[in-house]
């Protein structure tokens, strides 16, 4: 388990940033406009699977996908 609230917050921030940047870059290559890329990056954060943080030994990237398929 994480030792402190700060470590937990850092894990969440890191996961959100990496997820948003990956989604933004992926759809940029598909030719979406900047507004569309931003919206999909936000959607990726919303869909972020945070279960890995509650595990005994959390790490990033987690073993399972961080974005759940809808």
């Amino acid at each position: 388990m994480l030792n402190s609230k700060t470590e937990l917050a850092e894990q969440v921030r890191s996961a959100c940033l990496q997820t948003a940047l990956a989604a933004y870059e992926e759809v940029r290559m598909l030719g979406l406009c900047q507004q569309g890329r931003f919206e999909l990056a936000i959607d990726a954060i919303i869909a972020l699977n945070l279960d890995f943080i509650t595990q005994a030994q959390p790490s990033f990237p987690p073993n399972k996908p961080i974005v759940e398929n809808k």
Side-chain angles (χ1 to χ4, degrees):
M1 192 66 91
L2 294 170
N3 294 341
S4 72
K5 291 179 183 180
T6 302
E7 289 176 3
L8 174 62
E10 288 295 333
Q11 286 279 333
V12 172
R13 178 174 35 204
S14 177
C16 289
L17 285 172
Q18 289 183 20
T19 298
L21 290 172
Y24 187 90
E25 185 62 23
E26 181 178 336
V27 296
R28 182 191 67 82
M29 290 188 272
L30 296 175
L32 257 60
C33 67
Q34 186 168 351
Q35 180 65 31
R37 294 189 306 254
F38 176 78
E39 289 173 5
L40 285 175
I42 296 300
D43 287 345
I45 293 172
I46 291 168
L48 183 64
N49 179 352
L50 295 176
D51 289 341
F52 73 94
I53 292 176
T54 62
Q55 297 171 358
Q57 296 293 323
S59 62
F60 195 84
N63 293 333
K64 59 183 178 177
I66 58 173
V67 177
E68 297 174 356
N69 293 329
K70 293 184 179 183

